[in-house]
Amino acid sequence: MTHELSGTPEAEPGTRASAPPSHRPRRNKVPEVTAYFWVIKVLCTTVGETAADLLDEKAGLGLTGVSLLMSALLAVVLVVQFRTTAYRAGVYWLTVALISVVGTLISDNLTDNMGVPLEASTAVFALLLVAVFVVWYRRERTLSIHSVDTTGRESFYWLAVLFTFALGTAAGDLVSERMDLGYWLSAVLFGLAIAAVAVAHFALGLDAVCGFWIAYVLTRPLGASIGDYLSQPAGDGGLGFGTVVTSGLFLAVVLGLVVYLAVTRKDVADPARVTRQAA
């Protein structure tokens, strides 16, 4: 899916006035939604799954300790992200990768440490995500990622992203356990679900903002299924590459793509075009 499924804003009566200059970064803080966006997003979700497993296995801190460590690291990177005045590929995608890990760990803690059923955690994360969208829209009159250009909108954006990862983790685990499809077939299932969203948008007129966020949630279990298929032992239905090799491989690909985008700026929106879209 390319930039068409990205939540392009439309002019709406009663839109809030622009924020004061001191609270408005100079440009949009989110990349253009191109094929690169979706590829890196899936790769980051794969890393989130395998890296969370790797840290839990190797760090010796336990699930709770790893969760606290990664949350602290995410907080530091978020400070850097909020201090930027425009989209920066390296900082942005590092934030997404860390949120992927933390979102996975939040869901795993609820399931493994606190015994919360997957049905309950899936429902709670879905409600929290809806609540973020409702408050975001009531305050800003748009959920478009083409206008993440104030501190408030960026706060809502990253909170929504965190809940999409937590929801995707819980929902993906729930589907995998209930349907017992195995990693490969689960990846195919979620891939088909994303394709259905694209068809609904392009052929049936599904709202771009709605389609974007549904696809965003679905990429989490898709990436996790791919990661588990590659990393888990053959006896458990995987290829047995292990979490170290799988995490390293996908991190290397993500790094290569992010460096390419940082140099070419192919995913940086034209400020004049975005201004016209938001007008």
Side-chain angles (χ1 to χ4, degrees), residues 229-275:
Y229 179 65
L230 293 173
S231 64
Q232 295 303 309
D236 294 332
L239 294 181
F241 291 154
T243 54
V244 175
V245 173
T246 303
S247 298
L249 174 64
F250 280 83
L251 278 173
V253 176
V254 169
L255 179 60
L257 288 173
V258 170
V259 169
Y260 172 75
L261 292 175
V263 172
T264 63
R265 298 178 63 80
K266 286 183 175 294
D267 62 341
V268 177
D270 176 11
R273 182 176 64 81
V274 173
T275 299

Side-chain angles (χ1 to χ4, degrees), residues 58-270:
K58 306 295 185 182
L61 299 175
L63 189 58
T64 301
V66 170
S67 301
L68 293 173
L69 174 63
M70 297 308 297
S71 296
L73 182 57
L74 172 61
V76 172
V77 174
L78 276 172
V79 170
V80 177
Q81 166 65 25
F82 273 89
R83 285 180 176 272
T84 62
T85 57
Y87 163 67
R88 299 287 182 266
V91 178
Y92 174 87
W93 286 112
L94 177 58
T95 307
V96 172
L98 288 173
I99 280 190
S100 176
V101 175
V102 171
T104 299
L105 290 169
I106 290 173
S107 179
D108 289 347
N109 267 286
L110 289 174
T111 302
D112 298 338
N113 283 351
M114 302 177 67
V116 177
L118 287 170
E119 295 88 348
S121 58
T122 298
V124 168
F125 288 134
L127 291 173
L128 288 172
L129 182 59
V130 170
V132 170
F133 286 146
V134 169
V135 177
W136 183 357
Y137 186 80
R138 286 176 65 88
R139 287 180 60 88
E140 305 295 341
R141 310 308 299 173
T142 179
L143 300 178
S144 170
I145 67 166
H146 285 298
S147 56
V148 182
D149 54 1
T150 69
T151 301
R153 289 181 179 184
E154 188 174 11
S155 299
F156 284 122
Y157 174 80
W158 287 116
L159 190 59
V161 169
L162 174 62
F163 286 136
T164 63
F165 277 112
L167 172 59
T169 300
D173 290 346
L174 178 61
V175 171
S176 297
E177 287 189 7
R178 291 293 180 269
M179 301 184 69
D180 195 24
L181 295 176
Y183 303 126
W184 176 245
L185 285 179
S186 293
V188 172
L189 173 66
F190 290 115
L192 290 174
I194 293 172
V197 174
V199 170
H201 169 65
F202 293 117
L204 303 177
L206 176 66
D207 178 73
V209 172
C210 180
F212 170 83
W213 285 111
I214 293 173
Y216 203 95
V217 171
L218 289 172
T219 56
R220 173 59 186 81
L222 170 64
S225 297
I226 294 172
D228 285 337
Y229 179 65
L230 293 173
S231 64
Q232 295 303 309
D236 294 332
L239 294 181
F241 291 154
T243 54
V244 175
V245 173
T246 303
S247 298
L249 174 64
F250 280 83
L251 278 173
V253 176
V254 169
L255 179 60
L257 288 173
V258 170
V259 169
Y260 172 75
L261 292 175
V263 172
T264 63
R265 298 178 63 80
K266 286 183 175 294
D267 62 341
V268 177
D270 176 11

